[in-house]
Amino acid sequence: MHAPKDDLSLVAPLRRSVFRMLWITWLMANVCMWMTEVAAAWMMTSLTTKPVWVALVQTAATLPIFLLGLPSGALADNLDRRRYFLVTQLWVAVVASILSAVVFLDMMSPPVLLALIFANGIGMAMRWPVFSAIVPEIVPRLQLPAALALNGVSMNASRIIGPLVAGALIASAGSAWVFLLNAMLSLGAAVIISRWKREHRPNPLGRERLLPAMRVGLQYVVQSYHLKGVLLRIAIFFFHSTALMALLALLARGMEGGGAGTFTLLLAAMGTGAIVASGFLPRLRRRYPRDGLILRGAAMQAASMAVMAVTDQVWVAVPAMLLGGAAWIITANTLSVSIQMGLPDWVRARGMSIYQMAIMGANASGAAIWGQVATWTSVPVSLGIASVTGVLTMALVNRLRPDTGLEDDITPKRIFPAPQIQTPPAQGHVMVMIEYRIDPARAADFRELMLGEGRRSRLRHGALSWELLHDVHEPSRFVEVIVDESWTDHLRRFDRVTAADMALRDRKLGFHLGDEPPRVTRCLMESTVKPS
């Protein structure tokens, strides 16, 4: 049974069977992730008491996602997403099995633990972009905010379930059984994915090569004011908020009567706060603009961290963690919706992988830095500094780089058919020259449009380079020069045109003189053709 497209309630996407199936899979995967993080963090506190080693568990878990996010996104945009998602679950199951075996054999040490957590992070790096790209293809655009909020609920429900299960197993049987259960659940998730009957439609132009696909994905984000603003905010939020997560095991140990149960309770409180707050997200989005909502989330997170820095009482810490969980879901969901709305389908996995890299890069660097600050000073001082600088930095970014509130229409459009030639070149760059005739009195306005939106649009579509030439002998003649990596890559740009690009083209043509359209010339750059 499908929910109507205009049903914007939080649970509407769950009425879609495919989303429901994948959401359950995502919940199982997140439970495994939190079980691993809790068991690893607690095990590290038993192997060493140095704060920097404990904080490095968070770094080891998130650094692979920063390093491998973009290649994973490029693969997810080109391969069968169902099979790729299946492989990621099998990878996590294998790593969990090795972790369990190492603990059972009593061979664990801090370096070995970090190495295996790093390997587990590789599976997460592969998994996250493909799931992020799948969600918009199985729910209507109007229900995307609700679907992303439900993903946040999954993450935070797992933040409760995972630590509770891990804590109970650690206390009763030992960490090895946590990792073994992780392996079993990961295999179960893989079985569910294998039953998904998704039809993969290969691109008629073939798969993009990995390195060019990575370049195009990065180029798309770099040329977007909107997407860069989202990435900056998410990096700032997670760089500071990760101080709490990285040092939480030490805070739990230092509390009155603290132990594994306290650590589990605090994580569960954070997850509960996020789940409760997710029910208020639609109302909050209607009431506040994006930047206002993000600043409030940062302020809530700062308050949570400040309380955790000064208390050793569990009854005070639990409400603070509830507040921190609410701050997490408000900020992360707001920015996740914002970036999803700004990505067309053809580059979605790559764009979301860069978003993921910003989060995990901020997590990894933040955990290491705040852990080192705690080593030099103390855990409360480190948390206090992170809370103050976090909210101040977010306020500064909102002031210097405000959200314009304008979103491009990324609905796919076909302006005109792709060019056909008898013998397409097998290699070599392709240079496209478009000649415009412009009234010299309007040349300054035309130049501003071309050097701004015109250039960014061509580069977002994947062009290797772009130039605007002005004829010194004929002041009315301008030539736009676009270089594509190959003939196939040139053809790909025709499939990437959106409604916003069509509107931009009409604005360009509004400057062009005469009844004939601008003259287009395509040339193979012989200097880039490798000799046979």
Side-chain angles (χ1 to χ4, degrees), residues 157-286:
S158 67
R159 195 194 296 265
I160 299 171
I161 299 169
L164 287 175
V165 174
L169 279 176
I170 291 171
S172 61
S175 297
W177 292 96
V178 177
F179 299 129
L180 185 58
L181 179 59
N182 186 347
M184 295 171 63
L185 288 175
S186 296
L187 285 174
V191 170
I192 295 175
I193 296 169
S194 68
R195 297 176 61 187
W196 178 23
K197 305 301 182 182
R198 178 183 184 270
E199 181 182 355
H200 175 60
R201 294 185 177 89
N203 191 310
L205 296 174
R207 296 174 182 170
E208 293 181 75
R209 290 179 294 123
L210 182 60
L211 290 180
M214 291 168 57
R215 172 188 64 81
V216 171
L218 185 61
Q219 209 164 276
Y220 189 94
V221 172
V222 168
Q223 297 301 326
S224 170
Y225 175 92
H226 170 74
L227 297 182
K228 286 189 293 184
V230 172
L231 295 177
L232 180 59
R233 286 166 174 81
I234 203 69
I236 288 172
F237 180 79
F238 277 94
F239 176 81
H240 293 89
S241 65
T242 195
L244 180 58
M245 292 304 300
L247 300 171
L248 190 59
L250 293 174
L251 288 169
R253 276 191 180 275
M255 289 187 177
E256 187 174 320
T262 304
F263 182 46
T264 301
L265 176 62
L266 295 177
L267 282 174
M270 188 173 188
T272 302
I275 292 173
V276 172
S278 65
F280 295 93
L281 283 173
R283 188 185 308 171
L284 291 172
R285 278 194 293 267
R286 289 192 297 268

